C-alpha cells in the first residue's frame, strides 16, 4: 500500500525533466524527500531509489521517443525496478545475461539477484550483453512471458524491499526499450554521484552532516572513487558532480582531483 501511495503522489517522477511533464526537483529536494520517507520506513525508501537512478540513466542514454515512453509510464503511476547483479561472477560488472536477435526480434535470457523492488514493479531494467559484445540496458515488461520474479531475499532489515531473484527465459524485448550503454563514456556525467546521493540520504545523511564542524581538513587524503562529505555538500547544492572514474568536476567542467574521499578517511579534528 505504501509503495502504491508513493507512485500515486507522483514521487516516482520527481526528477523527470519538465519537458516530459516531470517536476525535475533539485538534488537537495530529492535528498530531503528520501530522508523524510526513510525516517518513516527505510524499506519504502529503498524500493524506489533504483527507479530514480534508472530514470536519470535513461535521460542520459535515451532518444526523445524512448524518454517520452518510459517517463510517461512513470508519471502514470507505473514503477521501474533494477534487475540487479548476477551470482557467480568475478565482479558486479561481469554479465552472463544475453540479448539475442532472431529474425529481427529481440530476446533476453539470464538470471539476476538482489533485484530491489522487483515484486512491486511494472517494468524491470535488465543489463545484458549485445551480440556485438557491448552492454545494453533493456526494459522488460514484468508480466511478459518468460519472466519469473521470486521474492526470496531474506537479508536482515530488508525482507520487505523485495530484493529477490529475477529469471528471464527467452523474454521478448521491444527494440524501443533497448539502450546502448556505450553512450555513458562518451560524455562526462554524474550518474555515480547521483546514485550515491540517494544512498547517503537513505543511510547516513544526518550522521555525515553532523560531522561537518568537526572535520580536520588537513587529514583528508587525495584521490579516491567514492563521493562523501565534501563532495556531497557541494553536490546537493548543484555545484559539482563525479564521473564514473571517481574524478570530480565543477559544473563549469573544470576537473578537481583532491576532494573525493572515503567516509572512513574523514577524521574528527583534535
Amino acid at each position: 500500500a505504501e509503495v502504491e501511495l508513493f507512485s500515486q503522489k507522483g514521487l516516482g517522477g520527481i526528477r523527470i525533466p519538465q519537458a516530459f511533464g516531470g517536476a525535475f526537483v533539485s538534488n537537495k529536494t530529492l535528498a530531503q524527500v528520501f530522508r523524510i520517507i526513510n525516517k518513516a520506513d527505510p524499506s519504502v525508501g529503498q524500493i524506489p531509489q533504483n527507479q530514480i537512478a534508472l530514470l536519470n540513466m535513461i535521460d542520459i542514454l535515451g532518444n526523445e521517443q524512448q524518454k517520452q515512453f518510459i517517463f510517461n509510464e512513470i508519471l502514470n503511476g507505473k514503477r521501474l525496478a533494477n534487475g540487479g547483479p548476477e551470482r557467480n561472477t568475478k565482479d558486479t560488472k561481469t554479465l552472463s545475461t544475453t540479448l539475442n536477435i532472431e529474425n529481427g526480434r529481440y530476446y533476453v535470457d539470464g538470471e539476476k539477484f538482489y533485484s530491489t523492488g522487483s515484486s512491486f514493479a511494472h517494468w524491470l531494467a535488465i543489463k545484458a550483453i549485445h551480440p556485438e559484445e557491448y552492454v545494453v540496458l533493456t526494459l522488460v515488461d514484468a508480466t511478459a512471458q518468460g519472466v519469473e520474479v521470486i521474492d526470496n531475499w531474506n537479508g536482515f532489515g530488508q525482507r520487505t524491499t523485495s530484493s529477490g531473484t529475477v529469471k528471464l527465459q527467452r523474454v521478448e524485448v521491444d527494440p524501443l526499450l533497448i539502450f546502448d550503454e556505450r553512450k555513458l563514456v562518451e560524455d562526462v556525467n554524474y550518474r555515480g554521484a547521483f546514485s550515491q546521493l540517494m544512498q547517503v540520504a537513505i543511510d547516513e545523511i544526518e550522521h555525515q552532516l553532523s560531522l561537518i564542524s568537526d572535520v580536520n581538513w588537513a587529514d583528508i587524503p587525495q584521490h579516491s572513487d567514492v563521493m562523501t562529505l565534501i563532495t556531497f555538500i557541494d553536490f546537493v547544492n548543484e555545484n559539482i558532480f563525479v564521473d564514473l572514474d571517481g574524478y570530480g568536476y565543477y559544473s563549469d567542467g573544470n576537473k578537481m582531483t583532491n576532494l573525493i574521499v572515503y567516509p572512513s578517511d574523514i577524521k574528527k579534528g583534535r
Side-chain angles (χ1 to χ4, degrees), residues 49 53-54 56 190-200 235:
Q49 57 96 7
L54 285 164
N56 177 68
Y190 61 94
R191 181 172 65 95
F194 188 80
S195 295
Q196 290 165 349
L197 167 67
M198 285 179 291
Q199 291 294 337
V200 171
F235 183 68

Side-chain angles (χ1 to χ4, degrees), residues 252-264:
D252 62 4
N254 289 325
K255 193 170 185 178
M256 63 175 194
T257 59
N258 63 345
L259 295 181
I260 307 171
V261 300
Y262 287 106
S264 59

Side-chain angles (χ1 to χ4, degrees), residues 46 63 103 108 142 145 158 235:
Q46 286 281 350
N63 59 38
N103 300 318
V108 171
Q145 183 176 351
Q158 291 192 329
F235 183 68

Side-chain angles (χ1 to χ4, degrees), residues 239-256:
N239 292 330
I240 68 166
F241 55 90
V242 180
D243 70 10
L244 298 181
D245 295 320
Y247 289 107
Y249 292 83
Y250 283 97
S251 54
D252 62 4
N254 289 325
K255 193 170 185 178
M256 63 175 194

